Short mmCIF file of all heavy atoms in Angstrom, two decimals:
data_model
loop_
_atom_site.label_atom_id
_atom_site.label_comp_id
_atom_site.label_asym_id
_atom_site.label_seq_id
_atom_site.Cartn_x
_atom_site.Cartn_y
_atom_site.Cartn_z
N MET A 1 -25.14 -18.79 -0.14
CA MET A 1 -24.14 -18.73 0.95
C MET A 1 -24.00 -20.11 1.57
O MET A 1 -24.98 -20.72 1.98
CB MET A 1 -24.61 -17.68 1.98
CG MET A 1 -23.59 -17.37 3.06
SD MET A 1 -22.18 -16.41 2.47
CE MET A 1 -21.12 -16.48 3.89
N LEU A 2 -22.79 -20.61 1.60
CA LEU A 2 -22.54 -21.93 2.18
C LEU A 2 -22.52 -21.84 3.70
O LEU A 2 -22.13 -20.82 4.26
CB LEU A 2 -21.18 -22.46 1.72
CG LEU A 2 -21.05 -22.81 0.23
CD1 LEU A 2 -19.59 -23.01 -0.11
CD2 LEU A 2 -21.85 -24.06 -0.09
N PRO A 3 -22.94 -22.91 4.35
CA PRO A 3 -22.78 -22.90 5.81
C PRO A 3 -21.30 -22.82 6.20
O PRO A 3 -20.44 -23.22 5.42
CB PRO A 3 -23.40 -24.22 6.27
CG PRO A 3 -23.64 -25.01 5.05
CD PRO A 3 -23.51 -24.13 3.84
N ASP A 4 -21.05 -22.31 7.37
CA ASP A 4 -19.66 -22.08 7.82
C ASP A 4 -18.76 -23.31 7.69
O ASP A 4 -17.62 -23.21 7.30
CB ASP A 4 -19.66 -21.63 9.28
CG ASP A 4 -19.75 -20.11 9.36
OD1 ASP A 4 -19.56 -19.47 8.31
OD2 ASP A 4 -20.02 -19.59 10.45
N CYS A 5 -19.31 -24.50 7.98
CA CYS A 5 -18.49 -25.70 7.99
C CYS A 5 -17.92 -26.05 6.62
O CYS A 5 -16.90 -26.70 6.51
CB CYS A 5 -19.29 -26.90 8.52
SG CYS A 5 -20.64 -27.34 7.42
N CYS A 6 -18.59 -25.59 5.57
CA CYS A 6 -18.16 -25.94 4.22
C CYS A 6 -17.39 -24.81 3.54
O CYS A 6 -16.94 -24.94 2.42
CB CYS A 6 -19.36 -26.30 3.36
SG CYS A 6 -20.28 -27.66 4.06
N TYR A 7 -17.29 -23.72 4.20
CA TYR A 7 -16.66 -22.55 3.60
C TYR A 7 -15.16 -22.75 3.55
O TYR A 7 -14.52 -23.09 4.55
CB TYR A 7 -17.02 -21.30 4.41
CG TYR A 7 -16.66 -20.03 3.69
CD1 TYR A 7 -17.44 -19.55 2.65
CD2 TYR A 7 -15.52 -19.31 4.06
CE1 TYR A 7 -17.11 -18.39 1.99
CE2 TYR A 7 -15.19 -18.16 3.39
CZ TYR A 7 -15.98 -17.71 2.35
OH TYR A 7 -15.65 -16.56 1.69
N ASP A 8 -14.58 -22.57 2.39
CA ASP A 8 -13.14 -22.75 2.26
C ASP A 8 -12.44 -21.41 2.41
O ASP A 8 -12.52 -20.54 1.55
CB ASP A 8 -12.82 -23.38 0.91
CG ASP A 8 -11.39 -23.88 0.85
OD1 ASP A 8 -10.56 -23.39 1.65
OD2 ASP A 8 -11.10 -24.74 0.02
N TYR A 9 -11.74 -21.28 3.49
CA TYR A 9 -11.12 -20.00 3.81
C TYR A 9 -9.93 -19.68 2.91
O TYR A 9 -9.47 -18.57 2.87
CB TYR A 9 -10.70 -19.95 5.28
CG TYR A 9 -11.89 -19.83 6.19
CD1 TYR A 9 -12.45 -20.94 6.81
CD2 TYR A 9 -12.50 -18.59 6.39
CE1 TYR A 9 -13.57 -20.83 7.62
CE2 TYR A 9 -13.62 -18.46 7.19
CZ TYR A 9 -14.16 -19.59 7.81
OH TYR A 9 -15.26 -19.46 8.59
N ARG A 10 -9.43 -20.67 2.21
CA ARG A 10 -8.30 -20.39 1.32
C ARG A 10 -8.66 -19.38 0.24
O ARG A 10 -7.81 -18.74 -0.33
CB ARG A 10 -7.82 -21.68 0.66
CG ARG A 10 -6.95 -22.52 1.59
CD ARG A 10 -6.52 -23.78 0.91
NE ARG A 10 -7.70 -24.56 0.48
CZ ARG A 10 -7.65 -25.64 -0.27
NH1 ARG A 10 -6.50 -26.09 -0.68
NH2 ARG A 10 -8.74 -26.29 -0.60
N TYR A 11 -9.95 -19.29 -0.06
CA TYR A 11 -10.37 -18.38 -1.11
C TYR A 11 -10.70 -17.00 -0.59
O TYR A 11 -11.07 -16.12 -1.34
CB TYR A 11 -11.54 -18.99 -1.88
CG TYR A 11 -11.11 -20.26 -2.58
CD1 TYR A 11 -11.57 -21.50 -2.17
CD2 TYR A 11 -10.18 -20.20 -3.63
CE1 TYR A 11 -11.14 -22.66 -2.80
CE2 TYR A 11 -9.75 -21.36 -4.26
CZ TYR A 11 -10.23 -22.59 -3.84
OH TYR A 11 -9.80 -23.74 -4.45
N GLU A 12 -10.55 -16.81 0.68
CA GLU A 12 -10.74 -15.48 1.25
C GLU A 12 -9.59 -14.59 0.79
O GLU A 12 -8.45 -15.02 0.75
CB GLU A 12 -10.68 -15.54 2.78
CG GLU A 12 -11.91 -16.08 3.42
CD GLU A 12 -12.71 -14.98 4.09
OE1 GLU A 12 -12.23 -14.46 5.10
OE2 GLU A 12 -13.79 -14.65 3.59
N ALA A 13 -9.90 -13.38 0.48
CA ALA A 13 -8.83 -12.43 0.18
C ALA A 13 -8.01 -12.26 1.45
O ALA A 13 -8.57 -12.15 2.54
CB ALA A 13 -9.42 -11.09 -0.24
N PRO A 14 -6.69 -12.29 1.32
CA PRO A 14 -5.89 -12.10 2.54
C PRO A 14 -6.18 -10.73 3.12
O PRO A 14 -6.33 -9.75 2.38
CB PRO A 14 -4.45 -12.21 2.05
CG PRO A 14 -4.49 -12.10 0.58
CD PRO A 14 -5.89 -12.42 0.12
N ILE A 15 -6.28 -10.68 4.41
CA ILE A 15 -6.58 -9.41 5.06
C ILE A 15 -5.29 -8.62 5.18
O ILE A 15 -4.36 -9.04 5.86
CB ILE A 15 -7.27 -9.62 6.42
CG1 ILE A 15 -8.61 -10.33 6.21
CG2 ILE A 15 -7.46 -8.30 7.15
CD1 ILE A 15 -9.09 -11.11 7.42
N ALA A 16 -5.23 -7.53 4.45
CA ALA A 16 -4.02 -6.71 4.46
C ALA A 16 -4.02 -5.87 5.72
O ALA A 16 -5.00 -5.25 6.07
CB ALA A 16 -3.99 -5.84 3.22
N LYS A 17 -2.90 -5.90 6.37
CA LYS A 17 -2.74 -5.11 7.59
C LYS A 17 -2.23 -3.72 7.22
O LYS A 17 -1.22 -3.60 6.53
CB LYS A 17 -1.70 -5.77 8.49
CG LYS A 17 -2.26 -6.69 9.53
CD LYS A 17 -1.15 -7.01 10.52
CE LYS A 17 -1.61 -7.94 11.61
NZ LYS A 17 -0.47 -8.39 12.42
N ILE A 18 -2.92 -2.74 7.67
CA ILE A 18 -2.47 -1.37 7.40
C ILE A 18 -1.28 -1.06 8.30
O ILE A 18 -1.34 -1.25 9.52
CB ILE A 18 -3.61 -0.36 7.61
CG1 ILE A 18 -4.71 -0.61 6.57
CG2 ILE A 18 -3.08 1.07 7.51
CD1 ILE A 18 -5.96 0.21 6.80
N PHE A 19 -0.20 -0.66 7.67
CA PHE A 19 1.02 -0.34 8.41
C PHE A 19 1.00 1.12 8.82
O PHE A 19 1.21 1.46 9.97
CB PHE A 19 2.24 -0.65 7.54
CG PHE A 19 3.54 -0.29 8.17
CD1 PHE A 19 4.05 -1.02 9.22
CD2 PHE A 19 4.26 0.81 7.70
CE1 PHE A 19 5.26 -0.67 9.81
CE2 PHE A 19 5.46 1.16 8.29
CZ PHE A 19 5.96 0.42 9.33
N THR A 20 0.72 1.96 7.87
CA THR A 20 0.62 3.39 8.13
C THR A 20 -0.16 4.01 6.99
O THR A 20 -0.67 3.30 6.12
CB THR A 20 2.02 4.02 8.32
OG1 THR A 20 1.88 5.37 8.74
CG2 THR A 20 2.85 3.99 7.03
N THR A 21 -0.29 5.30 6.97
CA THR A 21 -0.94 5.95 5.84
C THR A 21 0.04 6.93 5.21
O THR A 21 0.93 7.46 5.90
CB THR A 21 -2.22 6.70 6.26
OG1 THR A 21 -1.90 7.54 7.35
CG2 THR A 21 -3.33 5.75 6.65
N CYS A 22 -0.13 7.13 3.92
CA CYS A 22 0.72 8.05 3.20
C CYS A 22 0.44 9.47 3.70
O CYS A 22 -0.71 9.87 3.82
CB CYS A 22 0.43 7.93 1.71
SG CYS A 22 1.28 9.14 0.72
N ASP A 23 1.51 10.20 3.97
CA ASP A 23 1.33 11.56 4.48
C ASP A 23 0.99 12.55 3.37
O ASP A 23 0.69 13.71 3.65
CB ASP A 23 2.60 12.01 5.22
CG ASP A 23 2.69 11.35 6.58
OD1 ASP A 23 1.71 11.41 7.33
OD2 ASP A 23 3.73 10.73 6.87
N VAL A 24 1.04 12.11 2.13
CA VAL A 24 0.71 13.02 1.02
C VAL A 24 -0.73 12.82 0.59
O VAL A 24 -1.52 13.75 0.58
CB VAL A 24 1.69 12.83 -0.16
CG1 VAL A 24 1.30 13.72 -1.34
CG2 VAL A 24 3.11 13.14 0.29
N CYS A 25 -1.10 11.59 0.26
CA CYS A 25 -2.44 11.35 -0.28
C CYS A 25 -3.38 10.72 0.74
O CYS A 25 -4.57 10.66 0.51
CB CYS A 25 -2.37 10.50 -1.54
SG CYS A 25 -1.84 8.81 -1.25
N GLY A 26 -2.84 10.23 1.82
CA GLY A 26 -3.69 9.64 2.85
C GLY A 26 -4.07 8.20 2.58
O GLY A 26 -4.83 7.61 3.34
N GLU A 27 -3.56 7.61 1.50
CA GLU A 27 -3.83 6.21 1.19
C GLU A 27 -3.16 5.31 2.22
O GLU A 27 -2.12 5.66 2.79
CB GLU A 27 -3.27 5.86 -0.19
CG GLU A 27 -4.14 6.34 -1.35
CD GLU A 27 -5.46 5.59 -1.46
OE1 GLU A 27 -5.44 4.35 -1.33
OE2 GLU A 27 -6.49 6.26 -1.66
N SER A 28 -3.74 4.15 2.42
CA SER A 28 -3.16 3.19 3.36
C SER A 28 -1.92 2.55 2.76
O SER A 28 -1.89 2.24 1.58
CB SER A 28 -4.18 2.11 3.67
OG SER A 28 -5.34 2.70 4.19
N ILE A 29 -0.94 2.39 3.59
CA ILE A 29 0.26 1.63 3.21
C ILE A 29 0.18 0.34 4.01
O ILE A 29 0.08 0.37 5.23
CB ILE A 29 1.55 2.43 3.52
CG1 ILE A 29 1.59 3.69 2.64
CG2 ILE A 29 2.79 1.56 3.29
CD1 ILE A 29 2.64 4.71 3.08
N PHE A 30 0.16 -0.79 3.29
CA PHE A 30 -0.06 -2.07 3.94
C PHE A 30 1.26 -2.74 4.28
O PHE A 30 2.30 -2.46 3.66
CB PHE A 30 -0.89 -2.97 3.04
CG PHE A 30 -2.26 -2.41 2.78
CD1 PHE A 30 -2.54 -1.75 1.60
CD2 PHE A 30 -3.25 -2.53 3.74
CE1 PHE A 30 -3.81 -1.21 1.37
CE2 PHE A 30 -4.52 -2.01 3.52
CZ PHE A 30 -4.80 -1.34 2.33
N VAL A 31 1.21 -3.63 5.24
CA VAL A 31 2.37 -4.43 5.59
C VAL A 31 2.81 -5.19 4.34
O VAL A 31 1.98 -5.78 3.65
CB VAL A 31 2.02 -5.41 6.73
CG1 VAL A 31 3.13 -6.42 6.97
CG2 VAL A 31 1.69 -4.64 8.01
N GLY A 32 4.07 -5.11 4.01
CA GLY A 32 4.59 -5.78 2.82
C GLY A 32 4.72 -4.84 1.63
O GLY A 32 5.40 -5.15 0.67
N ASP A 33 4.04 -3.69 1.69
CA ASP A 33 4.19 -2.70 0.62
C ASP A 33 5.52 -1.98 0.78
O ASP A 33 6.02 -1.85 1.89
CB ASP A 33 3.09 -1.63 0.74
CG ASP A 33 1.78 -2.06 0.13
OD1 ASP A 33 1.72 -3.16 -0.43
OD2 ASP A 33 0.82 -1.28 0.24
N SER A 34 6.02 -1.48 -0.34
CA SER A 34 7.19 -0.63 -0.18
C SER A 34 6.69 0.81 -0.13
O SER A 34 5.68 1.16 -0.74
CB SER A 34 8.18 -0.84 -1.32
OG SER A 34 7.58 -0.56 -2.55
N TYR A 35 7.36 1.59 0.63
CA TYR A 35 7.01 3.00 0.73
C TYR A 35 8.29 3.75 1.03
O TYR A 35 9.35 3.13 1.21
CB TYR A 35 5.94 3.23 1.82
CG TYR A 35 6.46 3.10 3.23
CD1 TYR A 35 6.68 4.24 4.01
CD2 TYR A 35 6.75 1.85 3.77
CE1 TYR A 35 7.17 4.13 5.30
CE2 TYR A 35 7.24 1.74 5.07
CZ TYR A 35 7.44 2.89 5.81
OH TYR A 35 7.94 2.79 7.09
N TYR A 36 8.21 5.04 1.04
CA TYR A 36 9.40 5.85 1.26
C TYR A 36 9.26 6.58 2.57
O TYR A 36 8.20 7.12 2.88
CB TYR A 36 9.58 6.83 0.11
CG TYR A 36 9.85 6.11 -1.19
CD1 TYR A 36 8.79 5.59 -1.92
CD2 TYR A 36 11.14 5.91 -1.64
CE1 TYR A 36 9.03 4.89 -3.10
CE2 TYR A 36 11.38 5.22 -2.81
CZ TYR A 36 10.33 4.71 -3.53
OH TYR A 36 10.56 4.01 -4.68
N LYS A 37 10.33 6.54 3.31
CA LYS A 37 10.36 7.24 4.59
C LYS A 37 11.30 8.42 4.39
O LYS A 37 12.51 8.23 4.16
CB LYS A 37 10.90 6.27 5.66
CG LYS A 37 10.82 6.82 7.04
CD LYS A 37 9.56 6.35 7.74
CE LYS A 37 9.40 7.13 9.04
NZ LYS A 37 8.01 7.31 9.41
N ILE A 38 10.77 9.58 4.39
CA ILE A 38 11.58 10.77 4.17
C ILE A 38 11.39 11.68 5.37
O ILE A 38 10.29 12.17 5.62
CB ILE A 38 11.20 11.47 2.85
CG1 ILE A 38 11.45 10.51 1.67
CG2 ILE A 38 12.00 12.76 2.68
CD1 ILE A 38 10.92 10.98 0.34
N GLU A 39 12.48 11.84 6.10
CA GLU A 39 12.42 12.52 7.38
C GLU A 39 11.31 11.89 8.20
O GLU A 39 11.35 10.68 8.41
CB GLU A 39 12.24 14.02 7.16
CG GLU A 39 13.31 14.54 6.21
CD GLU A 39 14.02 15.77 6.67
OE1 GLU A 39 13.47 16.51 7.49
OE2 GLU A 39 15.15 15.99 6.20
N ASN A 40 10.31 12.63 8.59
CA ASN A 40 9.25 12.00 9.40
C ASN A 40 7.99 11.73 8.60
O ASN A 40 6.93 11.53 9.15
CB ASN A 40 8.95 12.86 10.63
CG ASN A 40 8.52 14.26 10.26
OD1 ASN A 40 8.71 14.68 9.11
ND2 ASN A 40 7.94 14.98 11.19
N LEU A 41 8.14 11.69 7.27
CA LEU A 41 6.98 11.46 6.43
C LEU A 41 7.02 10.05 5.83
O LEU A 41 8.09 9.55 5.50
CB LEU A 41 6.93 12.47 5.27
CG LEU A 41 6.75 13.93 5.64
CD1 LEU A 41 6.89 14.79 4.39
CD2 LEU A 41 5.41 14.18 6.30
N SER A 42 5.87 9.45 5.70
CA SER A 42 5.74 8.17 4.99
C SER A 42 5.05 8.49 3.68
O SER A 42 3.99 9.11 3.66
CB SER A 42 4.88 7.20 5.80
OG SER A 42 5.45 7.04 7.08
N ILE A 43 5.67 8.07 2.59
CA ILE A 43 5.15 8.43 1.27
C ILE A 43 4.99 7.17 0.43
O ILE A 43 5.92 6.37 0.31
CB ILE A 43 6.10 9.46 0.60
CG1 ILE A 43 6.18 10.71 1.48
CG2 ILE A 43 5.61 9.80 -0.81
CD1 ILE A 43 7.14 11.75 1.03
N CYS A 44 3.80 6.99 -0.12
CA CYS A 44 3.53 5.78 -0.90
C CYS A 44 4.21 5.85 -2.26
O CYS A 44 4.63 6.91 -2.72
CB CYS A 44 2.03 5.56 -1.03
SG CYS A 44 1.20 6.67 -2.18
N ASN A 45 4.26 4.69 -2.91
CA ASN A 45 4.87 4.57 -4.23
C ASN A 45 4.26 5.52 -5.26
O ASN A 45 4.97 6.10 -6.06
CB ASN A 45 4.69 3.14 -4.73
CG ASN A 45 5.94 2.33 -4.49
OD1 ASN A 45 7.04 2.82 -4.69
ND2 ASN A 45 5.76 1.10 -4.07
N ASP A 46 2.94 5.64 -5.24
CA ASP A 46 2.27 6.50 -6.22
C ASP A 46 2.72 7.94 -6.06
O ASP A 46 2.99 8.62 -7.04
CB ASP A 46 0.75 6.43 -6.02
CG ASP A 46 0.18 5.12 -6.52
OD1 ASP A 46 0.94 4.34 -7.15
OD2 ASP A 46 -1.02 4.89 -6.29
N CYS A 47 2.80 8.38 -4.82
CA CYS A 47 3.17 9.77 -4.59
C CYS A 47 4.63 10.01 -4.94
O CYS A 47 4.95 11.04 -5.51
CB CYS A 47 2.90 10.16 -3.15
SG CYS A 47 1.13 10.32 -2.82
N ILE A 48 5.49 9.07 -4.60
CA ILE A 48 6.90 9.29 -4.88
C ILE A 48 7.11 9.41 -6.38
O ILE A 48 7.90 10.21 -6.85
CB ILE A 48 7.79 8.21 -4.22
CG1 ILE A 48 9.16 8.79 -3.86
CG2 ILE A 48 7.97 6.96 -5.09
CD1 ILE A 48 9.17 9.64 -2.61
N ASN A 49 6.32 8.66 -7.15
CA ASN A 49 6.43 8.77 -8.61
C ASN A 49 5.99 10.13 -9.10
O ASN A 49 6.53 10.64 -10.08
CB ASN A 49 5.61 7.67 -9.30
CG ASN A 49 6.29 6.32 -9.18
OD1 ASN A 49 7.50 6.25 -9.06
ND2 ASN A 49 5.51 5.27 -9.20
N SER A 50 5.04 10.71 -8.42
CA SER A 50 4.58 12.03 -8.86
C SER A 50 5.60 13.10 -8.49
O SER A 50 5.59 14.19 -9.05
CB SER A 50 3.20 12.34 -8.28
OG SER A 50 3.27 12.54 -6.90
N PHE A 51 6.50 12.78 -7.58
CA PHE A 51 7.55 13.74 -7.22
C PHE A 51 8.76 13.60 -8.12
O PHE A 51 9.62 14.46 -8.16
CB PHE A 51 8.02 13.53 -5.77
CG PHE A 51 7.05 14.02 -4.75
CD1 PHE A 51 6.59 13.18 -3.75
CD2 PHE A 51 6.59 15.33 -4.76
CE1 PHE A 51 5.69 13.62 -2.80
CE2 PHE A 51 5.68 15.78 -3.81
CZ PHE A 51 5.24 14.93 -2.83
N LYS A 52 8.83 12.45 -8.79
CA LYS A 52 10.01 12.18 -9.60
C LYS A 52 10.00 13.03 -10.86
O LYS A 52 8.99 13.11 -11.55
CB LYS A 52 10.07 10.68 -9.95
CG LYS A 52 11.34 10.30 -10.68
CD LYS A 52 11.61 8.83 -10.59
CE LYS A 52 10.60 7.99 -11.36
NZ LYS A 52 10.88 6.56 -11.21
N GLU A 53 11.10 13.64 -11.14
CA GLU A 53 11.22 14.47 -12.33
C GLU A 53 12.41 13.98 -13.12
O GLU A 53 13.40 13.52 -12.55
CB GLU A 53 11.50 15.94 -11.94
CG GLU A 53 10.40 16.59 -11.14
CD GLU A 53 9.31 17.20 -12.01
OE1 GLU A 53 9.51 17.28 -13.23
OE2 GLU A 53 8.28 17.58 -11.44
N ILE A 54 12.32 14.08 -14.40
CA ILE A 54 13.46 13.79 -15.25
C ILE A 54 14.13 15.12 -15.58
O ILE A 54 13.46 16.06 -16.03
CB ILE A 54 13.02 13.09 -16.57
CG1 ILE A 54 12.17 11.86 -16.29
CG2 ILE A 54 14.24 12.76 -17.45
CD1 ILE A 54 12.88 10.70 -15.61
N ALA A 55 15.42 15.17 -15.34
CA ALA A 55 16.15 16.39 -15.66
C ALA A 55 16.33 16.45 -17.18
O ALA A 55 16.95 15.57 -17.77
CB ALA A 55 17.50 16.39 -14.94
N GLU A 56 15.73 17.42 -17.74
CA GLU A 56 15.79 17.54 -19.20
C GLU A 56 16.44 18.84 -19.58
O GLU A 56 16.30 19.85 -18.87
CB GLU A 56 14.37 17.52 -19.79
CG GLU A 56 13.76 16.15 -19.83
CD GLU A 56 12.36 16.19 -20.43
OE1 GLU A 56 11.46 16.72 -19.78
OE2 GLU A 56 12.20 15.72 -21.56
N GLU A 57 17.08 18.80 -20.70
CA GLU A 57 17.66 20.02 -21.24
C GLU A 57 16.53 20.91 -21.72
O GLU A 57 15.59 20.42 -22.34
CB GLU A 57 18.56 19.67 -22.43
CG GLU A 57 19.93 20.30 -22.31
CD GLU A 57 20.78 19.99 -23.53
OE1 GLU A 57 20.71 18.84 -24.01
OE2 GLU A 57 21.50 20.87 -23.98
N VAL A 58 16.60 22.16 -21.40
CA VAL A 58 15.50 23.05 -21.85
C VAL A 58 15.98 24.02 -22.92
O VAL A 58 17.17 24.22 -23.09
CB VAL A 58 14.86 23.84 -20.68
CG1 VAL A 58 13.94 22.94 -19.89
CG2 VAL A 58 15.93 24.44 -19.79
ZN1 ZN B 101 0.49 8.68 -1.41
#
C-alpha cells in the first residue's frame, strides 16, 4: 500500500452515483445509465430486454 501522497487517484474506479433502483429486479441504476421510465416505474435495460418479445407467426 502506497502512502497517500504517492497514490494516483486517476486509477481509482470512478464512483458511480446511484440514480435510482430498478423496480423489477432491484438493481441499481447509475447516473449516466439508460433506463426506462414506464408510468411510475423505473426499469433497467436488462429487465426491459426480458419483457421484449418478438411477434412470431405461430
Ligand atoms: Zn431490472
Side-chain angles (χ1 to χ4, degrees):
M1 188 72 189
L2 292 168
D4 271 346
C5 66
C6 302
Y7 193 76
D8 193 339
Y9 287 98
R10 282 179 302 173
Y11 296 110
E12 283 253 291
I15 297 155
K17 265 193 180 171
I18 295 172
F19 176 72
T20 187
T21 52
C22 174
D23 285 309
V24 177
C25 68
E27 282 291 316
S28 302
I29 295 167
F30 297 100
V31 171
D33 278 357
S34 59
Y35 73 104
Y36 295 82
K37 187 95 190 150
I38 299 170
E39 308 228 337
N40 58 345
L41 296 173
S42 304
I43 300 175
C44 74
N45 261 319
D46 286 352
C47 288
I48 210 78
N49 286 333
S50 69
F51 285 126
K52 186 160 67 182
E53 297 274 350
I54 307 293
E56 283 180 290
E57 230 182 320
V58 283

